[in-house]
Amino acid sequence: MNRREVLVFGAAGVGLAASAAGGTWLRQRSRTEVDLHAHTVAYATEDKRVLVTDPALLEADSRVAEGPTTERPRERMTAFLKAAEPWLDTVPGRYVDLARNALLDLWILSDDLPAAVAGWSPPWRYVWPRDASFCAAALARVGHLDLAVGQLRYLQQVQLSDGWFEARYVPGTADPPDGRERQFDGTGLVTWAIADVRRSARRYKRDIDDQLQPLLNRSFQALSKATDGGRALPAASPDFWEVPETRTTIGVAACTLGGLVAGGELLGQPEPGQRLASVIRGSFGANGFQRYTSHGGPDGGSAFFDALGVRGLMTSGQLRSVRRALLKPAGGISPGASWKRDGISWTPATSLLGLAMARAGDHQGAREILDWIDDHRTECGSIPEKVVYDGSPAAEAPLVWSDANVLLTLDVLARS
């Protein structure tokens, strides 16, 4: 076994000691141990990506191992970064390293694939419509419009005839990897992503319209049908928690609204989005924007409103309240108040909230979250899925949705 092959074997354990919390820290009942799968992902050969468990085996600021067998992926990596340089030059200096590594991880998890996969460990090596939508938006913002449109064209190919999506797909196919229940939030997010990608395009808007019109039409029709033209909440469906649901969650409601508003702008049909905003204000809003219409406590899904550009439903103060309510010992947030009390911070939920704060105008709050993410990356600079109670990165790294959220947040700050 050579040094390059060593990259793929083994999981780098964080070695956390379990102990009872026992204090007042948000009534935590346990401090769960979670291993870090790898510090990042890199090409070990021309066509083989591997988990990097020893940072010393990979040169800094790279996702390609040294040697002649990685020349072609190295060329693609260099070209990807070069095209993003004009955007990277706008990033505040304190965040350049964070931005560069997020770009590298967005590249390594999407390079030579029809759409980005969530991560590289086997359970994550699938395309989630949610993740791919945020990746498309991020790719367009950083200067890769063609790759962004490619992500959405793949989603157009795999979309079901009724406008829904499976929860996830085997890359390059329209096949789900298992019998997991399909999710309606993907339909709203894909519709939003079309509008966001188009907004990033200085030219070629007509080309984007021509390529993605079937996806836009089918998705908008599905959103309208599911809400009776915006007059009712969509039916229950799993959301970003990815658990079965019998009641409509705020995450699904927010993604549906984001899709109706974005699609309505493109198609000249604003009324369904306006009506659904009123329904949400009178249901979720009347009870403090909890996970369900009348209960469930603060929920990370509420960040989807502002993250998707739906302004005015929640205030910046309410977003900060969500952060305080869901705060975990390491400084990030959990997916929601009724999530298991394991002391773990989740970077997807935390970074989504940061994006929402940025787009809501709370740039200080967004910077606080970026600083936290920056401080809790792996030794190779990748953003992990989780951060355990003592601040150690854990689980999957990199996680592409968190990378996309960070890039979009930095883009908002740079533009403002």
Side-chain angles (χ1 to χ4, degrees):
M1 183 184 302
N2 59 34
R3 283 165 56 86
R4 197 169 294 109
E5 289 173 330
V6 171
L7 293 171
V8 75
F9 293 104
V14 181
L16 303 175
S19 62
T24 59
W25 246 105
L26 298 179
R27 298 187 299 279
Q28 296 297 324
R29 295 294 185 260
S30 65
R31 294 178 174 180
T32 303
E33 295 184 23
V34 181
D35 288 339
L36 179 65
H37 300 167
H39 290 277
T40 196
V41 176
Y43 274 103
T45 65
E46 181 175 317
D47 57 0
K48 183 179 182 181
R49 272 167 276 218
V50 297
L51 303 176
V52 180
T53 60
D54 182 358
L57 299 176
L58 191 65
E59 63 183 60
D61 294 330
S62 174
R63 297 297 182 265
V64 178
E66 295 182 6
T69 61
T70 56
E71 182 177 351
R72 289 185 179 178
R74 183 180 293 105
E75 290 174 352
R76 295 198 300 272
M77 180 185 71
T78 301
F80 181 91
L81 290 175
K82 185 174 179 59
E85 278 181 2
W87 177 84
L88 195 58
D89 288 342
T90 70
V91 173
R94 65 197 272 195
Y95 296 125
V96 168
D97 186 70
L98 173 65
R100 182 179 174 85
N101 276 279
L103 285 169
L104 285 168
D105 288 334
L106 180 56
W107 172 77
I108 194 65
L109 293 176
S110 61
D111 178 59
D112 207 27
L113 294 170
V117 293
W120 202 248
S121 296
W124 284 262
R125 204 177 299 173
Y126 302 114
V127 178
W128 271 259
R130 174 189 59 243
D131 298 24
S133 295
F134 278 92
C135 287
L139 284 165
R141 295 286 178 174
V142 304
H144 283 285
L145 183 62
D146 54 338
L147 296 179
V149 173
Q151 302 264 322
L152 295 174
R153 288 181 64 186
Y154 171 73
L155 293 175
Q156 181 170 255
Q157 293 168 7
V158 303
Q159 187 178 37
L160 299 169
S161 60
D162 61 1
W164 282 62
F165 289 91
E166 300 289 353
R168 52 189 186 162
Y169 293 90
V170 176
T173 77
D175 302 325
D178 52 30
R180 183 177 295 196
E181 187 177 351
R182 63 183 190 166
Q183 299 179 200
F184 192 59
D185 58 352
T187 303
L189 290 171
V190 166
T191 312
W192 160 78
I194 296 172
D196 208 69
V197 167
R198 192 179 184 279
R199 204 172 290 124
S200 299
R202 295 181 180 180
R203 296 178 295 171
Y204 312 118
K205 285 184 169 62
R206 186 179 299 276
D207 290 342
I208 294 173
D209 293 343
D210 290 343
Q211 293 183 64
L212 300 177
Q213 199 67 44
L215 179 63
L216 173 62
N217 290 341
R218 193 161 51 231
S219 298
F220 189 77
Q221 290 170 7
L223 295 168
S224 298
K225 181 178 180 180
T227 60
D228 188 23
R231 297 175 182 85
L233 294 173
S237 161
D239 62 4
F240 77 114
W241 284 31
E242 299 191 16
V243 297
E245 294 288 352
T246 58
R247 293 159 295 196
T248 305
T249 66
I250 194 169
V252 169
C255 292
T256 301
L257 177 59
L260 277 177
V261 170
E265 291 176 357
L266 294 179
L267 296 170
Q269 300 180 45
E271 295 83 5
Q274 294 169 353
R275 286 193 287 261
L276 185 59
S278 179
V279 170
I280 290 174
R281 191 177 290 111
S283 53
F284 286 98
N287 294 290
F289 292 103
Q290 300 183 67
R291 178 162 179 77
Y292 306 108
T293 54
S294 62
H295 66 287
D299 192 81
S302 61
F304 278 109
F305 291 119
D306 281 283
L308 302 184
V310 178
R311 301 288 302 276
L313 277 180
M314 295 184 68
T315 66
S316 295
Q318 286 175 312
L319 289 173
R320 282 186 169 254
S321 293
V322 170
R323 184 183 178 193
R324 288 193 296 270
L326 304 184
L327 194 66
K328 293 300 168 184
I333 68 169
S334 69
S338 53
W339 189 261
K340 53 189 174 183
R341 296 175 180 175
D342 52 12
I344 293 175
S345 300
W346 287 71
T347 67
T350 307
S351 59
L352 181 70
L353 182 60
L355 175 58
M357 287 178 163
R359 288 190 162 173
D362 183 1
H363 295 167
Q364 178 58 36
R367 285 191 290 268
E368 290 171 1
I369 286 180
L370 286 174
D371 289 341
W372 178 82
I373 292 172
D374 195 17
D375 290 340
H376 291 84
R377 291 182 289 153
T378 70
E379 292 183 36
C380 289
S382 291
I383 301 171
E385 179 188 39
K386 302 175 185 178
V387 177
V388 294
Y389 69 93
D390 70 350
S392 300
E396 188 67 4
L399 195 75
V400 81
W401 185 21
S402 297
D403 288 309
N405 287 340
V406 163
L407 292 170
L408 289 169
T409 303
L410 288 169
D411 183 74
V412 173
L413 298 181
R415 290 174 185 273
S416 61

